[in-house]
């Protein structure tokens, strides 16, 4: 058997970062921000504590990059699933169906826990802000690319749907309510129909 080619330093670095990010995301989902420690993350990743700070300067930076890593994966998953639909089903209504499923991913609730913590944590807020800005910009671009031909204002519709769902997800953390879920879903369907008619 031929010897596999040696990985470059950049490839090894990228692989290590990905391992740390996945371990950190798992820890955040399982333990929440209150139970999140870099020591536990590195133990789960099978790496030394010193390796963490070769890749991430601070805990706030790590948390922000975990959030970006999650957002990038969810957006890629959404786009792949949307493009896999039959062409006649690539509509705003089906887009909301897919987005609805993703918004109840427990990993996303962990990310929104960071949003609320950023209210009083200046360092975390400053680390998260560019991540959130890029995420919303990517969503607008994705909405335009996927729905631009079927909606008069795809970015406006996407922003309203995303912000409404974020509010629902955060609210469900403190007050789980099936009624709120059913009501918001019905309202979002009406909203999408309005944007389609505009």
């Amino acid at each position: 058997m031929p010897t596999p080619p040696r990985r470059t330093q950049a490839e090894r670095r990228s692989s290590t970062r990905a391992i740390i990010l996945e371990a950190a995301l798992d820890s955040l989902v399982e333990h929440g921000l209150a139970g999140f420690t870099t020591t536990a993350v590195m133990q789960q990743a099978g790496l030394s504590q010193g390796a963490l700070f070769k890749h991430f300067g601070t805990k706030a930076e790590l948390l922000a990059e975990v959030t970006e890593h999650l957002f990038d994966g969810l957006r890629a998953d959404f786009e792949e699933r949307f493009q896999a639909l039959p062409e006649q089903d690539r509509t705003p209504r089906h887009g909301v169906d897919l987005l609805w499923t993703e918004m109840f991913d427990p990993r996303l609730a962990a990310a929104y826990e960071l949003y609320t913590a950023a209210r009083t944590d200046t360092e975390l807020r400053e680390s998260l802000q560019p991540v959130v800005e890029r995420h919303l910009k990517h969503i607008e671009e994705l909405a335009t690319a996927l729905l631009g031909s079927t909606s008069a204002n795809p970015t406006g519709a996407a922003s309203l749907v995303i912000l409404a769902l974020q509010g629902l997800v955060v609210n469900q953390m403190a007050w789980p309510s099936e009624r709120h879920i059913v009501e918001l879903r019905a309202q979002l369907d009406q909203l999408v129909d309005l944007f389609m008619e505009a």
Side-chain angles (χ1 to χ4, degrees), residues 14-180:
S14 177
S15 175
T16 300
R17 283 177 62 85
I19 290 168
I20 294 170
L21 289 172
E22 281 299 319
L25 180 57
D26 289 345
S27 180
L28 188 62
V29 171
E30 183 177 352
H31 304 293
L33 184 58
F36 182 91
T37 68
T38 56
T39 301
V41 168
M42 298 313 287
Q43 287 175 346
Q44 184 168 336
L47 298 168
S48 69
Q49 185 77 2
L52 174 67
F53 297 106
K54 289 180 182 177
H55 298 273
F56 306 96
T58 65
K59 181 178 177 180
E61 181 185 326
L62 170 62
L63 289 168
E65 295 223 26
V66 165
T67 305
E68 186 154 40
H69 174 69
L70 171 61
F71 286 167
D72 288 347
L74 289 175
R75 282 195 315 272
D77 180 62
F78 174 89
E79 185 170 8
E80 181 180 331
R81 291 169 62 205
F82 189 86
Q83 294 288 13
L85 292 171
E87 188 171 355
Q88 69 272 13
D89 289 338
R90 294 177 203 157
T91 64
R93 179 64 70 84
H94 284 94
V96 170
D97 289 342
L98 293 177
L99 186 60
W100 183 268
T101 301
E102 292 209 338
M103 290 297 280
F104 285 95
D105 186 312
R107 298 173 300 167
L108 201 51
Y112 292 149
E113 183 180 354
L114 298 181
Y115 279 32
T116 59
R119 184 183 72 84
T120 55
D121 186 331
T122 304
E123 184 182 11
L124 179 59
R125 183 169 62 249
E126 290 175 352
S127 295
L128 277 176
Q129 184 174 339
V131 171
V132 176
E133 287 179 356
R134 284 192 295 271
H135 179 55
L136 292 177
K137 184 173 185 293
H138 289 320
I139 286 175
E140 289 180 355
E141 292 169 351
L142 186 60
T144 299
L146 298 180
L147 304 174
S149 61
T150 59
S151 173
N153 186 358
T155 60
S159 293
L160 281 174
V161 169
I162 289 291
L163 292 173
L165 281 171
Q166 285 178 347
L168 177 65
V169 171
V170 171
N171 194 71
Q172 290 289 312
M173 293 181 201
W175 182 19
S177 169
E178 184 66 26
R179 179 176 64 84
H180 290 160

